[in-house]
Amino acid sequence: MVPTLDVETELWGRGHLTVAGMDEVGRGAWAGPITVGIAVLARGCPPVPDGLADSKFLSEAQRERMVPVVRDWVGHWAVGEATVEEVDRLGVTAALRTAGWRALAALPRHPDVIILDGGHDYLSDPMEETLFCPERSIPPVRTEVKGDARCAVVSAASILAKSHRDLHMAALATDFPQYGWERNAGYGGAAEHLDGVAAHGLSVHHRRSWRVDVALPAGTAAS
C-alpha cells in the first residue's frame, strides 16, 4: 500500500492549516521505551516523496535512507518516549499518552489536528495525575486504522519513531549484548532475546510488569 495525502487533503479542506501524523513503536516490546513520533505537514506541502511507506514495510537500510528525506519533507517533527519505569508504573495506555504528549510538547507549535494511527485515541483520553503534561489542551484527534500505511504524514511519523527507537536499542545493546537488541529492538519473539533472558535473567531495561516467564522454555525462569 502506497500512502497518500487523501486524508490530509480532506482535513486541509476543512480549514486546518497544519495536519500532524502520530505513530508509536515499542508498545509490545519486552525491553526499552515506548516511542511516539509526530510529523507535521502544512497545506500546500510538496508531493509525497518516493519510497515513503509504513516503517514496518521497509528494510532497515530503506528506512534509514528515508529518515533525512522525511525530515526535509515535513514542516516540523519530534519524538517522545516513555521509560521502562513509566510503562511498569502507569501501564501501556498511560505510557503511550505520556510519550505522545512529550512528542507534541517538543514541537515549536501545536498542529491544528492530529491523525493518530489505530482505532483508539490514547492521546486525548482522560489524563492520569502522574502524566507529564506541560499544557492541558491538545488539538483535535482523528484516529485512522492502518493510518501508518494509508496516510503519508503518519507514515513519516512511523519512520521517525522506529528509526529513533532502533538506534536507542542498538546503543543499549553495547552494554547488554546477550539479548541481541541491535537486531530485535527488545521484542520478545526473537529466539536470541528469549535465550538471553533464560540464561541471564532480566536487565534494568526490561519491563518488569510483562509476564516474560510465560514465554520462556520450561524449566527456566527470569530473575
Side-chain angles (χ1 to χ4, degrees):
M1 181 181 294
V2 178
T4 70
L5 290 172
D6 291 350
V7 175
E8 293 89 330
T9 299
E10 175 194 336
L11 293 169
W12 288 323
R14 294 182 182 181
H16 300 295
L17 298 181
T18 55
V19 175
M22 183 176 281
D23 195 23
E24 59 81 21
V25 64
R27 181 200 302 251
W30 282 5
I34 284 177
T35 303
V36 170
I38 188 168
V40 184
L41 288 175
R43 186 167 60 187
C45 68
V48 177
D50 292 338
L52 186 70
D54 176 3
S55 63
K56 294 189 293 293
F57 301 148
L58 299 176
S59 68
E60 180 181 1
Q62 290 172 324
R63 188 169 56 249
E64 291 310 307
R65 283 198 298 270
M66 287 304 300
V67 168
V69 175
V70 166
R71 289 175 177 173
D72 287 343
W73 179 54
V74 302
H76 300 288
W77 64 273
V79 172
E81 290 187 335
T83 66
V84 168
E85 183 275 333
E86 288 169 328
V87 174
D88 284 338
R89 176 166 53 87
L90 301 175
V92 172
T93 300
L96 280 168
R97 196 176 303 129
T98 300
W101 267 98
R102 286 174 176 156
L104 187 62
L107 295 173
R109 63 185 64 87
H110 281 185
D112 293 333
V113 63
I114 297 172
I115 305 171
L116 186 65
D117 179 57
H120 172 61
D121 179 7
Y122 58 78
L123 188 66
S124 55
D125 278 355
M127 290 174 289
E128 306 289 341
E129 64 180 8
T130 49
L131 174 64
F132 171 85
C133 180
E135 298 182 45
R136 288 294 177 182
S137 64
I138 66 168
V141 171
R142 171 167 170 165
T143 58
E144 285 288 335
V145 175
K146 297 190 182 300
D148 49 4
R150 296 175 50 245
C151 303
V153 73
V154 185
S155 297
S158 77
I159 289 172
L160 296 172
K162 182 159 177 56
S163 174
H164 179 93
R165 189 177 185 281
D166 282 0
L167 290 173
H168 178 82
M169 295 307 297
L172 293 182
T174 60
D175 291 328
F176 297 88
Q178 61 269 36
Y179 304 110
W181 290 337
E182 70 277 19
R183 291 177 293 276
N184 60 56
Y187 285 88
E192 60 187 339
H193 197 176
L194 283 166
D195 292 344
V197 172
H200 303 282
L202 300 179
S203 73
V204 295
H205 299 293
H206 280 95
R207 300 174 187 177
R208 301 284 168 159
S209 56
W210 259 228
R211 287 298 308 277
V212 173
D213 57 312
V214 173
L216 294 178
T220 64
S223 60

